[in-house]
């Protein structure tokens, strides 16, 4: 069994544990949906450089207030993404995927930013900075999108949900059908595929932006690298939700709660490697250090720091407080 297949098994096991808590009361379902509405909107926008913090994102999309000193576009991105997030829940039970579903997601996200381009494929050539690969030519976008939709509908029930979701995201980004907002729509489509197959959504924190972009770029020749990255994010999000369920729900029998505790605690209790411990110690001493500063402090490369931080986050040994630019690390 490959490492990726083992992650599929782990994700399936976590999903069964989460299923033990169902059916959830309507109030709980509503609060969880709102919890991820803020979380996914914040993280997905932050990956693209949006300056709103998570708490500011919550205020913008739930209270309709503006944040002093923050760009108007950042507000529009938050409101638009929240609307598109609501839409994926509206079509979760729908059979298949259509071109119009994708166009509607972009229209909802981009309407306030540029109404003329919202919900329309691009008619100009674009280049992806930092990538060695060209995206689809303008003339080929409609045909490529039809092929993508056909591929999804033919494979929705045959591929593992993680492979399906990650590959949908990857293929969509390689086409790059819109003039802007492609990353946001790709992550929404990915999470739609997960939800349709009974999984939770997958959160990609902004702190993993470098690894996220690297795995996407590598996927041009090794697609399994990106699938592996998404599998890690699915499992990490599942574990977060299991912790929430364990703490908040006292209606599940003791056997299930003991299993959940064992699953979560086994992840938490794993002995740290020398590199993980060194990075943890450095973060404890210098919580505001950047990746580059941590790399210099620990005598390792920046990619190693990124991988180690991801591991420490999965183990819930550290968390990010505040934004990627002005926040700091906290040792748990």
């Amino acid at each position: 069994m490959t490492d990726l297949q083992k992650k599929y098994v782990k994700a399936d096991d976590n999903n069964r544990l989460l299923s033990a808590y169902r059916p959830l009361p309507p109030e709980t379902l509503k609060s969880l949906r709102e919890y991820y509405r803020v979380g996914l909107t914040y993280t997905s926008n932050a990956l693209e450089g949006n300056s709103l913090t998570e708490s500011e994102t919550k205020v913008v999309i739930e209270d309709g207030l503006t944040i002093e000193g923050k760009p108007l576009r950042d507000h529009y991105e938050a409101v638009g993404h929240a609307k598109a997030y609501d839409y994926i829940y509206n079509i979760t039970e729908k059979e298949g995927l259509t071109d119009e579903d994708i166009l509607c997601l972009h229209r909802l996200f981009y309407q306030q930013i540029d109404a003329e381009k919202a919900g329309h494929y691009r008619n100009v050539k674009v280049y992806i900075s930092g990538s060695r690969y060209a995206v689809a030519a303008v003339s080929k976008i409609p045909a490529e999108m039809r092929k993508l939709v056909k591929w999804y509908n033919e494979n929705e029930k045959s591929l593992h949900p993680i492979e399906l979701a990650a590959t949908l995201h990857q293929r969509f980004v390689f086409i790059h059908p819109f003039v802007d907002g492609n990353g946001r729509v790709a992550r929404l489509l990915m999470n739609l595929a997960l939800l349709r197959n009974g999984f939770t959504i997958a959160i990609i924190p902004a702190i993993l932006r470098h690894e996220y972009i690297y795995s996407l770029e590598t996927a041009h020749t090794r697609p399994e690298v990106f699938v592996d990255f998404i599998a890690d994010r699915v499992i990490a999000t599942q574990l977060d939700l299991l912790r929430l369920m364990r703490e908040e729900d006292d209606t599940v029998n003791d056997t299930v709660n003991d299993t959940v505790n064992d699953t979560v605690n086994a992840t938490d209790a794993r002995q740290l490697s020398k590199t993980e411990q060194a990075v943890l110690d450095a973060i404890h001493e210098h919580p505001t250090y950047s990746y580059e500063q941590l790399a210099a402090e620990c005598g390792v490369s920046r990619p190693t720091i990124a991988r180690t931080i991801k591991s420490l986050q999965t183990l819930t040994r550290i968390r990010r407080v505040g934004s990627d630019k002005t926040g700091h690390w906290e040792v748990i």
Side-chain angles (χ1 to χ4, degrees):
M1 185 181 292
T2 66
D3 287 343
L4 183 55
Q5 289 172 330
K6 290 177 182 177
K7 290 179 182 180
Y8 289 164
V9 172
K10 175 65 174 174
D12 291 339
D13 289 343
N14 288 343
N15 211 35
R16 281 189 286 272
L17 289 174
L18 287 168
S19 295
Y21 289 94
R22 301 184 180 113
L24 295 172
E27 297 81 5
T28 304
L29 282 172
K30 183 175 182 292
S31 65
L32 276 175
R33 179 170 165 177
E34 291 174 351
Y35 174 77
Y36 283 120
R37 186 176 189 242
V38 173
L40 184 62
T41 295
Y42 161 65
T43 54
S44 194
N45 281 338
L47 283 168
E48 308 296 340
N50 189 293
S51 66
L52 295 177
T53 65
E54 188 165 11
S55 59
E56 289 170 344
T57 300
K58 179 180 174 66
V59 168
V60 169
I61 66 178
E62 292 186 355
D63 302 328
L65 301 177
T66 57
I67 308 300
E68 184 178 359
K70 294 299 176 78
L72 192 57
R73 180 186 172 111
D74 289 2
H75 293 77
Y76 289 157
E77 288 180 346
V79 173
H81 189 281
K83 290 179 179 178
Y85 170 87
D86 291 339
Y87 180 72
I88 68 172
Y89 275 91
N90 292 337
I91 61 173
T92 298
E93 301 300 326
K94 176 185 170 185
E95 286 289 329
L97 184 68
T98 67
D99 289 4
E100 183 53 35
D101 292 330
I102 298 174
L103 293 172
C104 188
L105 280 173
H106 187 263
R107 187 181 304 116
L108 289 167
F109 168 69
Y110 211 62
Q111 185 68 35
Q112 289 182 278
I113 299 170
D114 190 332
E116 290 185 4
K117 293 184 175 64
H120 297 285
Y121 295 141
R122 60 181 166 84
N123 56 10
V124 295
K125 192 172 185 177
V126 297
Y127 300 91
I128 309 302
S129 59
S131 176
R132 297 185 292 113
Y133 300 94
V135 297
V138 170
S139 61
K140 294 183 178 180
I141 291 175
E144 289 296 318
M145 291 302 293
R146 286 193 295 270
K147 285 168 57 179
L148 176 63
V149 167
K150 183 174 184 290
W151 169 86
Y152 177 86
N153 291 329
E154 289 176 348
N155 290 276
E156 186 173 23
K157 301 304 180 184
S158 59
L159 294 179
H160 188 279
I162 293 177
E163 182 180 1
L164 176 76
T167 306
L168 175 62
H169 175 307
Q170 170 190 312
R171 291 178 61 150
F172 176 88
V173 168
F174 290 173
I175 299 170
H176 221 75
F178 301 113
V179 71
D180 191 20
N182 293 280
R184 259 72 66 106
V185 174
R187 291 184 287 276
L188 286 164
L189 287 171
M190 175 185 76
N191 284 305
L192 172 63
L194 290 170
L195 289 170
R196 281 185 168 181
N197 286 277
F199 277 69
T200 62
I201 65 172
I203 297 289
I204 306 173
I207 199 68
L208 296 181
R209 184 176 186 274
H210 174 79
E211 188 169 353
Y212 171 58
I213 293 174
Y214 168 80
S215 62
L216 262 177
E217 181 74 0
T218 306
H220 282 278
T221 54
R222 296 170 56 207
E224 70 279 1
V225 172
F226 185 67
V227 178
D228 186 83
F229 174 82
I230 295 302
D232 285 340
R233 299 318 312 152
V234 169
I235 292 170
T237 307
Q238 287 175 323
L239 291 175
D240 286 340
L241 184 52
L242 281 168
R243 289 185 185 93
L244 287 174
M245 293 297 188
R246 178 185 59 178
E247 293 167 1
E248 298 295 335
D249 194 323
D250 59 359
T251 64
V252 180
N253 64 54
D254 291 340
T255 301
V256 172
N257 271 326
D258 288 344
T259 305
V260 170
N261 290 341
D262 290 344
T263 298
V264 175
N265 291 336
T267 303
D268 292 343
R270 177 176 68 77
Q271 185 175 0
L272 299 182
S273 68
K274 290 182 178 179
T275 301
E276 288 171 335
Q277 189 60 56
V279 174
L280 187 66
D281 292 341
I283 287 173
H284 181 73
E285 293 295 325
H286 310 285
T288 61
Y289 266 18
S290 66
Y291 274 27
E292 289 75 14
Q293 289 171 314
L294 287 171
E297 177 75 13
C298 299
V300 296
S301 67
R302 189 188 187 284
T304 297
I305 289 293
R307 287 193 299 272
T308 305
I309 282 179
K310 172 187 170 184
S311 175
L312 291 172
Q313 286 180 306
T314 300
L315 294 169
T316 63
R317 302 300 297 269
I318 60 172
R319 60 171 164 248
R320 187 70 179 176
V321 179
S323 69
D324 193 28
K325 293 182 179 179
T326 61
H328 64 276
W329 293 106
E330 184 177 279
V331 175
I332 303 173

